Every structure is written in C-alpha cells, then in structure tokens.
Amino acid sequence: LEQATTGILTSGAWRPLDRLEIVDDLTLRAVMKTPWAQFPIVLAGQTGFVVAPQMIQENLAKEYWGTGPFFPKDYVAGDHFSGIRNVNYWREDANGVRLPYLGEVEFRFLLDPTTRENALMAGDIDLMHTDSADQVLRFAQSVEAGDEGEVRYLIDDSEGTEYLVLFNTQTGPFADPRLRLAAAHALDRQAMVDALYDGYYEVADGPFSAASPWGTVPNMPGYDPDEAQQLIAEWRDDNGGNQPRVALTVLASTDFLNLAQYVQQAWKDVGFTVDVQSVENAAGTQLLVTGGAQAGIIPFFDGADPDAFYHWWHSSNIAEPGTIGLNFARYGDAELDEALEIGRQSADPQERAAAYAEVWERFGADVPYLWLIHNRWAIAYRSNVEGVGSFTLPDGSPTKPVTWGQVWVAGLWKS
C-alpha cells in the first residue's frame, strides 16, 4: 500500500507529501514536507485510489485487481466495459445486505450526448449522465413541468462544471493580454445565456458560484464592445495594421458548436477574425495539454474546494511550448503561487478565502480564462432503475445524490 500511493503523491502537483509510514495493517501515516490542510479531500478522489504495486512494477495493464463492487468481465477499448458482482465486496446496506445488488453491470462509451440520449430513450441503456448544457436544460425543464414518464431525471446541485474559454497565454495571439481582455469585453454573457439557454444558467465570474464560500472574480471584465474595439485598435497599431486572427477550438458536438458560433460572432463584431476549429475529444485533449490551441471552449473546474485546482494553476506546471503541462493556460507567477500555497497550507477559512481572493483578482486582471456559465450535470435513467440519488457514505450517513456526474452503481437495482 505504501509503495502504491507514495509514487503518486510525491510527484507533480502532490509535492507536499514526503512519505507514508505503515502504522499497522490498516493504518498509514502521511508525513508532509509542508502543511496540506485539504489533504483528506484529495484522498476522497482519484488520488486516493490504491493500486497494487505489482501492477505498476510488472506493467500489468490488462490485469484487474481491486476491492470494488464488480470484478471485470469484459473490456473492449472505446466500446464497453462489463463487470460481474463481487460477492465479497466489503460494503453492506442499512439492513445488513451485502452490496452490490446487481449481478452484472455494463458501461458503454457513448461520447456523443445525442447518441447517449437516443440509446436511453430506445431502452438500449438504462442510465446515462451528461454535462451537455442543452440536455441539462431540457431535462431540468422536464422535471419542472412534471413531464417524466419512462425516463426520469436527476439534476446535480453541486458546484457543477464551468463552461469557459481557456486562453493560451504563452504563445499565439492571446499571449497579448490586450486581446484576452478585448475578447472578454466583446461578449455579453447574460445575453448569451438568454439566447442559448433560456436564461437557465448562472453567468460565471470564476470557478465557483455566487453561493459558494470561496467568492467570485470581482473584476471580471464586463460587456464593453467600445473598449474591446479600442484594445484591438491598439494591438493593430503595434502589428502593422493587421486584424487579429484567432482560432477557437471546440469539441465536435452540437451544443458546443452553437456556443462557439455565438462567441465567434461576438468577437467578429469588435474586430477579430475568428476560425472555429472542431475536434474530437482525444484531439482536443492533446491540444489542451501541449498548448497547441490558441483558445478553447471547455467544461472544467468541477471541484468543491479551490485547492483541487492547485496543479492546474501553479506555475511549476507550466511546460515549454509543444510539451505536456497541467497548467493548460500556461499562466502564473511567484505571487500567484504564493496565494495558492497559503490556500493549501492554511486551515483558517478566512485566511484561505483571502488567499483565493488574490487568485481571483489576478484572473480578472489578466484574463487567462473567460468564464461563461456555471453548468450542471444531469442523470437520466429508465423508470425501472431504483436507488438513483440515494447514495450514502459507508457509515450510513447521507451525501449529495450526485456530484459532478458521478453515479455509484453499488446501490442500484432494477424493478
């Protein structure tokens, strides 16, 4: 266990951990180089998953070991994964019945949201999740109207996922902060929400909603097309009179393309020449992590605590152009890093909030991100699927019914 986790937690963004010590058969002690007040939250996510050392040491990529509710039965890359019930799974329900209830489960990889919904409506699948803004809107409207029949919906009320334009601040035209600021001033985000989403979504001024204790970006540039045109005129004077030509990368789905076209028109109206580049998921990820995109519309930053974003924002994760780096915007400096360190090391909520207020201030001034909307996740499922939204923690205490699209299948059954 110590070998399995130490390599992950002492590399890259997880530098605060120095080592893990075995206390007894069921206890590890984490020894930190520097304080990390939010470390328990990290362990509750992907970083806390324990991998058998032999799988890493012997490169057993196609071996499946673990203590989860289902043992792997079949896996076809890009198509599906199926698992059968682990009769020795460690969890029981409130009545002492061993989980999971289902004898078998299959996950199908349906990347296109429309394909996913059509499969659900046809009864080919039993449950789906989505963060497609168009779908979430329609599903929420169905819930509000009481229009649920064979298919039911659960709308996520957690912090959700922000839709944003991520700028490459390292290379390309948006390395000039004037163009990033002009792009922000060019877009009337409330009008965009009204036009595309019937006013359903909250306009985002940062990675957290207004209801969050972490606050928002107070100096997020507002709609000011005159100021946008002035900034572009200044840039043009410094660049031989040329119009700024920019590429906007977006995932190849209808709702993202509609959003990109809206942004494209707003930018054109103030003097940008804009090319929309539509890409599939894999290609989009490659452009994102290598700095190959000038600007991209992405859904991101779905965490409950700002420290979850440390590795996306810290300057140590800014890579050379064309190489892989976790700081996708390639933005940061020592002062920003210092604020992130305070937010990570302090256990004082007020001190942490003040530190992240400094981060938001920098985001508003330099615009590495153009925040668009606070999107939400939705779960859609057939009416004979039971247990959706009733997930509990191992001690039986309730938790949020769904968080960032995660569905825990151990407690589901079919009637």
Side-chain angles (χ1 to χ4, degrees):
L1 183 62
E2 183 181 26
Q3 295 175 32
T5 53
T6 301
I8 297 172
L9 294 169
T10 56
S11 63
W14 314 113
R15 288 179 304 279
L17 185 68
D18 180 54
R19 65 188 184 277
L20 293 172
E21 300 174 347
I22 297 175
V23 177
D24 55 45
D25 288 346
L26 294 176
T27 309
L28 286 175
R29 177 184 293 113
V31 180
M32 300 291 175
K33 300 174 185 176
T34 58
W36 192 358
Q38 310 312 307
F39 182 59
I41 295 177
V42 174
L43 289 183
Q46 183 178 357
T47 305
F49 295 173
V50 178
V51 180
Q54 188 177 349
M55 295 188 70
I56 300 173
Q57 295 162 1
E58 300 181 16
N59 193 27
L60 301 177
K62 295 186 179 180
E63 298 285 342
Y64 303 107
W65 301 349
T67 59
F70 297 94
F71 283 130
K73 174 185 177 183
D74 183 40
Y75 170 57
V76 177
D79 186 78
H80 74 275
F81 168 87
S82 62
I84 58 175
R85 183 174 185 264
N86 176 6
V87 297
N88 296 313
Y89 183 51
W90 58 276
R91 283 198 65 178
E92 296 179 345
D93 67 13
N95 298 316
V97 176
R98 189 177 295 276
L99 299 176
Y101 300 123
L102 295 172
E104 186 171 341
V105 64
E106 179 179 285
F107 296 90
R108 296 184 188 171
F109 310 142
L110 305 176
L111 300 183
D112 179 66
T114 301
T115 301
R116 210 176 307 156
E117 184 178 358
N118 290 340
L120 180 72
M121 295 301 179
D124 295 333
I125 61 174
D126 298 296
L127 180 148
M128 62 167 277
H129 69 175
T130 182
D131 66 345
S132 161
D134 290 348
Q135 283 183 332
V136 174
L137 171 60
R138 286 192 291 103
F139 294 168
Q141 290 172 334
S142 293
V143 172
E144 185 176 351
D147 186 21
E148 295 177 278
E150 288 301 311
V151 174
R152 297 172 183 171
Y153 308 102
L154 180 63
I155 309 300
D156 189 355
D157 66 352
S158 68
E159 270 293 323
T161 301
E162 278 62 51
Y163 275 19
L164 64 140
V165 178
L166 183 147
F167 294 114
N168 184 338
T169 68
Q170 186 179 55
T171 61
F174 287 118
D176 190 318
R178 292 175 297 182
L179 292 188
R180 301 196 301 270
L181 188 57
H185 281 311
L187 186 62
D188 186 336
R189 293 173 296 149
Q190 186 59 60
M192 178 194 73
V193 170
D194 294 341
L196 296 180
Y197 309 119
D198 292 339
Y200 175 71
Y201 293 105
E202 177 188 344
V203 170
D205 283 325
F208 292 94
S209 66
S212 163
W214 302 113
T216 58
V217 175
N219 55 336
M220 183 68 197
Y223 179 55
D224 190 342
D226 292 337
E227 179 64 18
Q229 290 173 341
Q230 179 61 37
L231 289 164
I232 288 177
E234 293 176 9
W235 184 91
R236 201 167 48 234
D237 290 343
D238 294 338
N239 289 270
N242 296 316
Q243 291 290 111
R245 189 180 194 99
V246 299
L248 179 62
T249 302
V250 64
L251 295 178
S253 65
T254 301
D255 54 339
F256 274 112
L257 286 170
N258 288 340
L259 181 55
Q261 288 166 2
Y262 193 98
V263 174
Q264 177 188 39
Q265 187 59 56
W267 287 0
K268 282 183 175 180
D269 289 344
V270 298
F272 285 100
T273 298
V274 187
D275 301 312
V276 172
Q277 179 184 20
S278 174
V279 297
E280 299 298 331
N281 283 294
T285 300
Q286 180 69 13
L287 287 172
L288 192 68
V289 301
T290 60
Q294 295 178 4
I297 295 179
I298 62 170
F300 212 58
F301 297 122
D302 49 355
D305 189 282
D307 186 57
F309 310 138
Y310 175 100
H311 46 293
W312 309 121
W313 295 339
H314 200 278
S315 65
S316 63
N317 287 325
I318 299 175
E320 293 297 320
T323 61
I324 294 175
L326 291 179
N327 187 325
F328 302 147
R330 294 164 186 251
Y331 170 81
D333 58 30
E335 293 181 4
L336 183 64
D337 291 347
E338 182 180 359
L340 293 173
E341 295 293 351
I342 293 172
R344 166 157 287 190
Q345 297 178 21
S346 175
D348 183 337
Q350 292 184 337
E351 185 178 20
R352 297 189 72 223
Y356 289 118
E358 290 292 328
V359 176
W360 310 154
E361 186 76 23
R362 298 293 296 280
F363 284 174
D366 291 340
V367 201
Y369 311 102
L370 171 51
W371 309 97
L372 300 177
I373 63 171
H374 294 294
N375 191 26
R376 306 170 77 181
W377 284 86
I379 310 300
Y381 57 100
R382 304 291 299 181
S383 59
N384 64 336
V385 178
E386 307 287 350
V388 178
S390 59
F391 178 68
T392 61
L393 298 175
D395 64 0
S397 59
T399 186
K400 285 184 176 292
V402 57
T403 304
W404 313 306
Q406 297 176 358
V407 181
W408 301 96
V409 298
L412 301 185
W413 72 96
K414 294 179 70 173
S415 60

